[in-house]
Amino acid sequence: MVTLAWEGYATRLANAEQQELLSVLEDILEKEDIDKSQGALVFVGKDTRSSSERLSQAVLDGWHYGLVTTPQLHYMVCCHNTHGQYGEATVEGYYGKLCQAFIELTKNTPNRTDDQKHLTVDGANGIGALKLREMERHLKRELQISLFNEGHGKLNHQCGADFVKVQQKPPTGVKVQSGERCCSFDGDADRIVYYYTDSEDRFHLLDGDKIATLISTFLKELFLLPGGLGQRLINIAVVQTAYANGSSTRYLEDTMKVIVRCTKTGVKHLHHAAQEFDTSVYFEANGHGTVLFSRAAEEKIRQLAEDVNTDDTRKRAAILLQHIINVTNQTVGDAISDMLLIEAILALKGMTVQQWDAIYTDVPNRQLKVKVSDRRVIDTTDAERRAVSPAGLQDAIDASVAKYRHARAFVRPSGTEDVVRVYAEADTQVRTACLPFRCVPPCVQTLYL
C-alpha cells in the first residue's frame, strides 16, 4: 500500500549494500525534506508463516505486536497516526470497534434465527483463523461461526480464498450443506470470498465482484432514501480492475446507476482511485477490497444523525451508516471486517445467499498465461484493457471479440515473470472457451520462447 512516489525509494533501500544503506537513507531524507529530530514509531507484527519469526526478529527496534493479521497491523498504524481518532491501537481495540458496530447493526433485525446467524468459515490455516477465534467472545453469539482449517495444516494448502476461486469448489475438509452460507479467508486475512452449493450440489462462488455489488447496492439505497440523505452531497463509486466480470459492471452502471472506475491490477491502484470519491467500494475479483468514506461524507452523516430536525427515516439511515463506517477497516482489504459488513447487510436486507447471488449472473470467463521471451514487448493502456504494442495485437483481439455477444478480452504482461496474461469472457461457456486462443494471434506467437 506504499504510495507510488515512495516505490522507488523502497527499491533503492532493498537493493542497497550494507555499507551504502546510511547514505541512501540520508539522500531520501534530504529529497523529502524530513525532519530527523522528529520522533517515530515502527509497528511490527507477524503471521504464522515459517519465515515470520526470523523476519520479525530483524526489525524489533520498534513496537512489537506479536501475531496479527496484515489488516490489523494497518489498522493499528492508522489509529496511532490519527492520535486515536480512528480507534484504539491494540488488537482488543480492533475487536471492540468492529464487533460493537456489528452488534448495533444487527440488533435492528430481531427476528434472525440461529440458522440465519450461522456462518461456516475456512481460515486457510492462517493467522485469520487464530484472530477470528479470539474475536468470537466479542460477538455475543450474534454471529455463530463454524471455523475450519484453523491452523493445524499447511497454509493455503487446498483451502483459502485463492484455492476456492481458482478451483471453483469448497476447500478440503469443509463439508458444505446445501444452501449453507460459507466464506474463505486467504493466509494473511486480507481477502475473502463467499460460496454455497445448491440442492443439486452445484458450486456457486460469490467473489469480489459480487461483494462489491452487494455493498454498493446497500449504500446506494441508504443514500437515496426519500429526502435525499446523500443525493446532493455524497457521491458513490465502485472501483474495479479489468478482471471484473462484465455482468457486474453492466449491473452497476445500467441498473444501479453507480459510477464505475477501472484501474490497473493491484489493490494499491484501486485504493488510491477510491480516495477520489465521497464514498467508494473497491474490490479485486479475488476478494481483496474495502469501503472508503471521505471526511466530508463522514461529517455529513454525523450531522444528519445528530440533527434534531432530521426525520426518523433519514436519521435511522444516518445511524446505520455510522455503524457501517465503524465496522469497516478503511486502511486496507480485511477479510474479518468485510465478513462482518457482509453479514450485517444480509441480515438488514433479510437476504439469503441465494438471493444475493441472483442480483446478476456472471458471464463465463477464462484466464490463461502465454510464456514469452520478453514481456516488456507488450504495452497496454486504458487500465490494461487495450494493448498499444506490438502493432496489430489489439486489432486481432477486437476482431475475435466482435464475433460474440457480451464478449470482452484483453492481454497484459505479468509484473513479475515473462508471461502474458490473457482474459476473455462471453455470453456462453462455449464461446468463452474459443476466445482465449483466438486472442493470441500470430503477432504474439513471435514472442514465444
Side-chain angles (χ1 to χ4, degrees):
M1 298 299 289
V2 66
T3 59
L4 295 175
W6 278 76
E7 283 193 352
Y9 295 150
T11 301
R12 286 183 63 194
L13 287 169
N15 292 331
E17 298 294 340
Q18 185 67 30
Q19 64 271 20
E20 301 171 341
L21 187 59
L22 183 58
S23 62
V24 172
L25 284 169
E26 288 177 340
D27 184 53
I28 295 171
L29 290 171
E30 181 179 347
K31 287 182 176 178
E32 293 295 324
D33 193 25
I34 295 172
D35 182 2
K36 289 189 287 187
S37 66
Q38 184 177 349
L41 284 178
V42 176
F43 287 71
V44 182
K46 62 185 179 185
D47 60 24
T48 54
R49 280 174 282 202
S50 58
S51 59
S52 291
E53 184 66 33
R54 176 174 55 84
L55 292 172
S56 63
Q57 285 295 326
V59 288
L60 284 182
D61 295 330
W63 194 352
H64 179 59
Y65 271 104
L67 288 169
V68 289
T69 68
T70 298
Q72 285 176 335
L73 194 62
H74 279 263
Y75 167 87
M76 289 183 280
V77 172
C78 183
C79 290
H80 171 75
N81 287 342
T82 58
H83 307 288
Q85 290 184 6
Y86 190 68
E88 179 187 331
T90 65
V91 174
E92 284 297 308
Y94 169 93
Y95 295 148
K97 178 183 179 182
L98 269 62
C99 291
Q100 182 180 353
F102 175 78
I103 290 170
E104 288 296 321
L105 285 167
T106 54
K107 77 179 184 181
N108 293 283
T109 57
N111 297 323
R112 286 172 73 215
T113 65
D114 284 346
D115 284 345
Q116 291 169 330
K117 294 179 182 179
H118 182 261
L119 176 67
T120 296
V121 180
D122 159 32
N125 289 316
I127 185 64
L130 301 181
K131 297 291 114 177
L132 187 58
R133 187 63 80 194
E134 286 180 3
M135 191 181 75
E136 280 186 289
R137 59 186 171 85
H138 293 267
L139 290 170
K140 300 177 181 177
R141 294 195 61 77
E142 286 303 309
L143 184 61
Q144 299 168 20
I145 295 169
S146 293
L147 182 59
F148 294 86
N149 297 318
E150 295 188 54
H152 306 298
K154 186 178 179 181
L155 183 73
N156 288 325
H157 179 62
Q158 295 188 333
C159 60
D162 190 59
F163 173 86
V164 171
K165 179 166 176 58
V166 172
Q167 299 297 325
Q168 293 283 305
K169 65 180 182 180
T172 301
V174 180
K175 179 61 177 176
V176 180
Q177 302 296 326
S178 175
E180 182 180 15
R181 208 167 59 255
C182 308
C183 68
S184 285
F185 297 172
D186 68 329
D188 61 349
D190 62 4
R191 285 191 277 155
I192 185 172
V193 295
Y194 270 69
Y195 48 94
Y196 69 96
T197 58
D198 60 25
S199 57
E200 298 180 2
D201 204 33
R202 288 177 300 194
F203 179 82
H204 296 258
L205 176 70
L206 294 92
D207 61 6
D209 297 336
K210 291 276 187 177
I211 293 170
T213 303
L214 175 72
I215 296 172
S216 58
T217 298
F218 181 73
L219 292 175
K220 183 75 178 288
E221 290 170 353
L222 288 180
F223 288 152
L224 297 185
L225 284 170
L229 175 64
Q231 201 165 0
R232 295 182 302 275
L233 300 179
I234 301 178
N235 59 42
I236 180 171
V238 176
V239 185
Q240 300 180 320
T241 72
Y243 288 102
N245 194 275
S247 286
S248 71
T249 306
R250 283 189 289 274
Y251 176 81
L252 289 166
E253 290 182 328
D254 300 341
T255 303
M256 291 307 302
K257 308 298 182 183
V258 170
I259 300 168
V260 177
R261 173 74 60 82
C262 185
T263 73
K264 288 183 176 181
T265 304
V267 70
K268 65 183 178 185
H269 298 296
L270 286 93
H271 190 92
H272 294 309
Q275 291 174 320
E276 299 175 12
F277 302 93
D278 292 329
T279 303
S280 52
V281 181
Y282 75 80
F283 271 86
E284 291 189 296
N286 64 17
H288 192 171
T290 188
V291 186
L292 300 185
F293 295 87
S294 69
R295 290 184 180 179
E298 290 191 16
E299 178 60 21
K300 175 65 175 177
I301 292 166
R302 185 193 65 78
Q303 290 175 356
L304 286 169
E306 296 177 358
D307 190 347
V308 295
N309 296 317
T310 303
D311 64 71
D312 290 344
T313 301
R314 297 173 72 210
K315 184 180 289 290
R316 178 180 180 274
I319 292 172
L320 285 176
L321 284 166
Q322 285 185 313
H323 295 319
I324 287 171
I325 290 169
N326 286 329
V327 83
T328 302
N329 185 350
Q330 297 187 56
T331 66
V332 73
D334 182 341
I336 293 176
S337 166
D338 291 338
M339 177 193 74
L340 294 177
L341 177 56
I342 291 165
E343 290 298 309
I345 291 173
L346 292 176
L348 286 164
K349 291 178 70 66
M351 181 180 283
T352 66
V353 68
Q354 295 91 337
Q355 290 170 326
W356 170 19
D357 191 25
I359 290 177
Y360 69 86
T361 301
D362 283 327
V363 291
N365 59 89
R366 289 190 66 184
Q367 299 182 43
L368 58 83
K369 296 191 297 185
V370 179
K371 193 171 183 180
V372 297
S373 58
D374 184 1
R375 67 182 186 276
R376 292 171 297 183
V377 173
I378 292 183
D379 192 18
T380 62
T381 188
D382 189 23
E384 302 176 313
R385 291 178 291 187
R386 296 189 65 81
V388 295
S389 66
L393 174 56
Q394 189 59 50
D395 291 339
I397 294 172
D398 291 342
S400 294
V401 167
K403 298 175 182 178
Y404 304 106
R405 184 172 179 268
H406 284 160
R408 183 172 68 92
F410 65 87
V411 300
R412 53 176 290 268
S414 167
T416 57
E417 55 183 328
D418 278 325
V419 299
V420 176
R421 304 190 185 278
V422 182
Y423 176 91
E425 63 181 41
D427 62 335
T428 69
Q429 187 68 48
V430 172
R431 290 167 179 169
T432 304
C434 295
L435 265 172
F437 303 101
R438 293 180 183 275
C439 291
V440 185
C443 60
V444 176
Q445 293 175 10
T446 60
L447 305 175
Y448 287 180
L449 284 176

